[in-house]
Amino acid sequence: MSELFVEAGRDWIAERRAVGRTISVSTEKAYRADLATWARYLEAQIGTQPTVEDLSGTTIKASLAEMNNAGLSPATRRRLLTTLRGLCRYLVLESRLSADPTAPIQAPRAPSRLPVAFTDGQISDLLTTAQTEDPQARPPAPLLDTAIVLILAAGGLRASEAADLKLNDYRQGDDPSLRVLGKGRKTRVVPLDAGVAEQIDAYLTWRAERVTADVDAGPLLIRPDGRPHTRDTISYRVNRLYVRSGIAKPEGEAAHALRHTYALSMVDLGVPISEVQQLLGHESIATTGIYLKASASHLRAAAAAPSAARLLASKPAPPREA
């Protein structure tokens, strides 16, 4: 009997843990979601539950085409193909697949675009909205919304990292900071402004009223009912703030635009790119380097803004002296 695709996927994820290649809970969750998506599209192609033997180049390409027709972005299809490549390579090494059917398949090309960041005015509007009770929320939680915006925009955290924060990861006092567990299980310390820490302290008072038997290892960010936040619930609250403040939702993950804003502000302030890399938790400095390009683009736009520049552009050049 042929091996089911879903069972092979479970084995692959288990093998990654067993050989010491530690993966975070959020990464494992993402792998499972990607493999479930593949199982759904493969089944649509063959009409039954897919098996390992069904992993052919033809079937995979047809599934990718259907993903495109369904409106999945190039970035999403690239990620899905990367996950499937990992599974197929594992199956080849285990002699459960004779060859890697994904090897000749080119990944969808993601459109080249610079990170989107918000202006100071937009961040101010977002904070003002967060500090105002949401009339549709049951119950409203302005202190929570404010803490989320500040942790993302003034700490540069990913939404998943914010969800994973524990109570004892927040350091109060003269040098407030957050201890962040990022990708690859790597820990970094992000310093916080005193004003930001003051707002988080106010949130902690709200939090204490909702958590009766608390421990330092409990989640820092909780929902109004006391349950911990997830990446998705944080993104939902941020999206809700965009709607309420009239700010257009940026393309891609909404909460990530606040991280982009943090990174660009660091670059614009002249913080060395190597330090920005550490603050963001990037494994490669090449990933951080895109903010240098984005910052230069912002500066060029700013240089064209003064009235003198516009006046010069609208007038003919003066004649040169003989």
Side-chain angles (χ1 to χ4, degrees):
M1 184 177 178
S2 300
E3 180 181 11
L4 289 175
F5 173 81
V6 292
E7 293 178 353
R10 292 192 198 105
D11 290 347
W12 173 56
I13 293 173
E15 186 268 350
R16 285 182 63 87
R17 291 196 302 264
V19 298
R21 296 183 63 183
T22 305
I23 56 176
S24 67
V25 173
S26 58
T27 299
E28 180 174 340
K29 181 181 177 181
Y31 282 154
R32 292 186 185 280
D34 285 352
L35 293 176
T37 299
W38 274 111
R40 188 167 65 252
Y41 276 91
L42 290 169
E43 183 172 350
Q45 292 298 317
I46 63 177
T48 187
Q49 272 192 303
T51 67
V52 170
E53 291 181 353
D54 293 320
L55 292 173
S56 67
T58 301
T59 306
I60 293 170
K61 288 179 181 178
S63 297
L64 284 170
E66 285 304 312
M67 292 176 187
N68 181 48
N69 294 337
L72 273 65
S73 69
T76 298
R77 285 180 280 131
R78 282 178 69 90
R79 190 197 70 239
L80 286 164
L81 183 57
T82 298
T83 299
L84 188 63
R85 284 196 206 280
L87 170 60
C88 289
R89 288 168 184 166
Y90 159 73
L91 293 174
V92 170
L93 288 173
E94 291 283 305
S95 299
R96 292 153 71 174
L97 198 61
S98 59
D100 180 2
T102 68
I105 299 177
Q106 291 187 342
R109 181 171 295 178
S112 177
R113 63 176 184 268
L114 296 176
V116 176
F118 295 118
T119 65
D120 289 349
Q122 288 174 316
I123 291 295
S124 177
D125 290 345
L126 201 63
L127 277 173
T128 299
T129 302
Q131 292 165 347
T132 306
E133 290 191 354
D134 184 349
Q136 295 185 15
R138 299 289 184 272
L143 291 173
L144 168 62
D145 288 335
T146 301
I148 288 175
V149 171
L150 290 173
I151 285 173
L152 298 175
L157 274 66
R158 303 174 177 94
S160 58
E161 293 172 341
D164 289 342
L165 286 173
K166 305 303 180 186
L167 187 60
N168 58 7
D169 287 329
Y170 171 52
R171 177 182 175 181
Q172 298 173 281
D174 295 335
D175 297 307
S177 63
L178 290 171
R179 182 177 58 198
V180 184
L181 183 62
K183 289 186 176 181
R185 310 294 293 176
K186 293 182 179 179
T187 302
R188 68 185 189 275
V189 175
V190 177
L192 297 175
D193 178 79
V196 171
E198 184 178 341
Q199 294 294 323
I200 295 178
D201 291 343
Y203 156 76
L204 289 180
T205 301
W206 175 90
R207 180 187 183 281
E209 297 171 355
R210 286 155 180 80
V211 180
T212 53
D214 203 7
V215 293
D216 286 346
L220 175 65
L221 295 174
I222 63 166
R223 306 184 218 185
D225 61 6
R227 290 182 296 160
H229 268 290
T230 66
R231 180 184 67 178
D232 291 341
T233 59
I234 287 176
S235 294
Y236 170 80
R237 297 194 79 92
V238 172
N239 273 319
R240 178 67 188 151
L241 290 172
Y242 289 151
V243 172
R244 291 174 56 208
S245 60
I247 297 174
K249 178 185 177 298
E251 189 176 349
E253 186 181 348
H256 217 65
L258 297 174
R259 174 173 162 88
H260 291 327
T261 302
Y262 170 84
L264 275 171
S265 67
M266 293 293 104
V267 172
D268 288 344
L269 286 171
V271 177
I273 195 67
S274 59
E275 294 182 18
V276 178
Q277 176 192 5
Q278 294 176 17
L279 290 168
L280 294 175
H282 285 159
E283 184 174 348
S284 170
I285 199 167
T287 305
T288 318
I290 192 172
Y291 293 108
L292 287 174
K293 297 179 182 179
S295 180
S297 176
H298 286 189
L299 290 174
R300 282 193 295 272
S307 57
R310 293 198 301 272
L311 286 171
L312 286 172
S314 64
K315 291 184 177 181
R320 292 184 180 181
E321 294 183 5

